[in-house]
Amino acid sequence: MNQQDTICAIATAQGGAIGIVRVSGPDAVTLTDRIFTPIGSTVPLTERKPYTLAFGHIKNSKGEIIDEVLVSVFRAPHSYTGEDATEISCHGSAYILQQVMHLLIGQGCRTAMPGEYTQRAFLNGKMDLSQAEAVADLIASTSEATHRLAMNQMRGGFSRELAKLRNQLLHLTSLMELELDFSDHEELEFADRTELQALAAQIEQLISHLANSFHAGNAIKNGIPVAIIGETNAGKSTLLNALVKEERAIVSDIHGTTRDIIEDTINLNGITFRFIDTAGIRQTQDTIEALGIERSFQAIDRAQIVILVCDKSQGESAFQAFYRQVAGRLEGKQVIVALNKCDLADTPTFLSPQGTVIEISAKKGQNIIALQEKLVELAALPDIQTGDVIVTNARHYEALIHALAAIRRVQEGLSTNLSGDFISQDLRECIFHLSDIVGDVTTDEVLGSIFEHFCIGK
């Protein structure tokens, strides 16, 4: 991948009324100008001011008009990538867009790789790596919370927190290493150990806070997994359909209809829930159904919240027998017991050894809203405000965990009067892991892994 190439890509999804082709690189304006004929002006794109729009035609080599377009002109370094760039706004026809791409490539452009525009923005200093990763999160955001987290990170909130930490660590390191430089003067002590311990404790607390936020951030970004568990014909699939408001799962009076897990998502109060409808749990000789039941148990292990769906008409003894089958898997889980078919059963409500009991009728939609409200309550996610810094990226979390281990070794070394050179090594390791998050020490292999998951055109 040569950064001196001029690249082009379609930057909009298919099917829209407008389609945009992005061009970026040292020859972006020149190459666009070769296929563009302005209307009402004789000024070529190469002589136009940045941040201006030009109206005209895209023409092929035969002089035939491909489309009537608007071209935006950007000049380095004041563009998204930090390079000269143009954006050609066409009609959204797939044929038109492909023809424009074909003409640009014929003039010397190269088709952009996934994420190459954002990668160039990073390499040209327009954003650090954590901000670049936030671009992908912003594109993928599906709720207010995920949008706000991605926007906060893209605007540099996380980067500013890391910069503060690194500055404190650098100050701490400089004191330790200055003392080492004058180690032959035993009477000199540049680094007061008590003050250093206080500063290290402050740094440890900040890193720990960021690392601990990953649990909530990951749930907000990827959704909270909710396993719907129950015996066969208890109404699990009917409940899934009622929650997502569509016929997502097959509903039948025949036992064992659901033999594999079915997943779907809904958004409640800005929180994404990933529902997993599982095979009914019962004793069976059917090999395929048995595999589905084993996957049901695996779904419980992956879930944060478990909805135990029980047929109320079967009575409390049937529920207790079922509960004993799954109780060993419920440790550490938030549990809701949904007593289904309450419209058919006159039996009294019974208690559960664990969780909240809610009577529902999945078929008639009774108390579904109460169930949804309980899900939001059990999610217990923080309200995301502008400026809040919450870690959502697994790579960032891993780096923070390594940085946290390093600063704790520093604390231990200070408390045990360990030699300053060992403490300095741990300090430098802590700085290294924090720097890795923003891309100061990241390898090409890591960069490739990050940007290959971007969409083409971004």
Side-chain angles (χ1 to χ4, degrees), residues 23 32 104 134 157 399 409:
V23 189
T32 305
L104 287 167
R409 289 196 299 273

Side-chain angles (χ1 to χ4, degrees), residues 197-457:
Q197 285 177 326
L199 182 56
Q202 181 183 358
I203 294 170
E204 189 273 343
Q205 186 177 13
L206 290 171
I207 296 176
S208 180
H209 173 74
L210 287 173
N212 289 338
S213 73
F214 177 70
H215 175 74
N218 188 53
I220 292 170
K221 179 179 177 179
N222 297 314
I224 295 175
V226 182
I228 303 175
I229 303 295
E231 294 184 290
T232 58
N233 213 28
K236 302 181 300 301
S237 297
T238 306
L239 176 58
L240 174 65
N241 292 339
L243 286 167
V244 303
K245 296 183 173 59
E246 62 175 288
E247 295 300 312
R248 185 69 177 81
I250 298 173
V251 176
S252 170
D253 293 332
I254 301 172
H255 289 267
T257 303
T258 302
R259 297 188 170 207
D260 202 352
I261 61 173
I262 300 172
E263 295 194 28
D264 210 339
T265 61
I266 63 170
N267 190 288
L268 301 174
N269 287 18
I271 303 170
T272 300
F273 291 88
R274 292 190 291 109
F275 291 104
I276 309 167
D277 178 26
T278 63
I281 296 174
R282 66 168 179 168
Q283 297 297 322
T284 180
Q285 300 301 315
D286 187 308
T287 303
I288 302 300
E289 187 180 353
L291 287 172
I293 292 170
E294 176 55 32
R295 291 187 180 184
S296 297
F297 286 119
Q298 293 172 4
I300 296 177
D301 296 337
R302 299 199 312 269
Q304 180 176 329
I305 301 174
V306 178
I307 301 177
L308 297 180
V309 184
C310 306
D311 185 344
K312 187 186 176 189
S313 66
Q314 298 299 310
E316 185 170 1
S317 60
F319 164 70
Q320 296 296 344
F322 162 69
Y323 181 82
R324 284 192 292 272
Q325 295 182 68
V326 299
R329 303 265 186 163
L330 298 177
E331 185 177 351
K333 309 293 183 184
Q334 299 281 12
V335 177
I336 301 173
V337 178
L339 298 183
N340 194 26
K341 306 181 184 180
C342 67
D343 55 319
L344 302 178
D346 295 327
T347 55
T349 298
F350 40 87
L351 299 177
S352 167
Q354 183 179 357
T356 301
V357 177
I358 300 177
E359 290 195 16
I360 66 167
S361 171
K363 188 173 183 178
K364 294 189 175 181
Q366 185 175 331
N367 275 349
I368 297 300
I369 292 178
L371 177 59
Q372 292 175 336
E373 290 173 348
K374 191 64 181 178
L375 286 168
V376 172
E377 178 187 331
L378 293 180
L381 293 180
D383 291 330
I384 308 301
Q385 305 298 324
T386 301
D388 286 350
V389 178
I390 295 179
V391 177
T392 63
N393 186 298
R395 188 184 71 84
H396 301 170
Y397 174 69
E398 183 179 2
L400 286 168
I401 290 299
H402 288 310
L404 189 59
I407 195 64
R408 285 174 176 168
R409 289 196 299 273
V410 170
Q411 290 179 290
E412 183 180 355
L414 289 170
S415 64
T416 58
N417 288 318
L418 189 69
S419 172
D421 52 351
F422 290 111
I423 295 175
S424 292
Q425 177 59 37
D426 287 327
L427 283 169
R428 285 192 291 270
E429 185 175 333
C430 188
I431 293 171
F432 173 87
H433 290 298
L434 295 180
S435 299
D436 188 35
I437 294 174
V438 295
D440 288 350
V441 295
T442 302
T443 65
D444 289 341
E445 183 179 355
V446 172
L447 290 180
S449 175
I450 290 170
F451 289 107
E452 71 182 6
H453 300 295
F454 276 59
C455 55
I456 293 175

Side-chain angles (χ1 to χ4, degrees), residues 3 22 77 79-83 115-139 150-160 166 395-396 435-440 442 447 450-451 454 458:
Q3 200 176 351
R22 306 180 80 182
S79 70
Y80 178 77
T81 58
E83 305 170 328
E116 190 169 358
Y117 291 94
T118 305
Q119 184 170 356
R120 288 188 176 202
F122 163 68
L123 294 172
N124 290 325
K126 302 297 292 185
M127 58 182 73
D128 66 37
L129 193 55
S130 70
Q131 291 173 295
E133 289 170 295
V135 172
D137 290 342
L138 188 65
I139 294 170
M151 185 60 73
N152 288 349
Q153 185 174 323
M154 195 173 76
R155 294 176 65 186
F158 187 32
S159 302
R160 285 190 291 273
R166 291 172 69 206
R395 188 184 71 84
H396 301 170
S435 299
D436 188 35
I437 294 174
V438 295
D440 288 350
T442 302
L447 290 180
I450 290 170
F451 289 107
F454 276 59
K458 195 64 181 177

